[in-house]
Amino acid sequence: MRIADHIAEYMREHDIHCLMWGDGSLVNAAREHISGRSGSHPLNVMTAACNAMERAPDLFRKTRIHGCDANGNARVVRGFWLREFDKTVDD
């Protein structure tokens, strides 16, 4: 089973339709499946989880949110919708 499958299962169990980098739920969904690969730091887990979801276009639709970090620098954050809850027509 892929890491993305575990994340999707967690999202369904908790009725979560979308996760993005920075969500604590993303760490909860992925930590036990990723910690041996990317270290246990939550930022590493979030990045590895987003990478895994990006490699699973059958489960997730990727979105991007433009914003800024705490210092005011521009930042693009990746978000992922479970396809079964995605209401968009275009991909």
Side-chain angles (χ1 to χ4, degrees), residues 21-73:
W21 192 95
D23 282 337
S25 292
L26 184 55
V27 175
N28 295 335
R31 173 160 286 186
E32 66 184 64
H33 306 290
I34 291 176
S35 62
R37 299 176 190 188
S38 63
S40 61
H41 194 280
L43 296 177
N44 293 337
V45 173
M46 281 187 263
T47 300
C50 285
N51 292 342
M53 290 188 292
E54 195 164 351
R55 291 188 303 268
D58 56 315
L59 294 173
F60 299 99
R61 182 180 65 83
K62 181 180 174 181
T63 60
R64 291 190 173 115
I65 298 172
H66 295 269
C68 59
D69 64 15
N71 295 323
N73 300 315

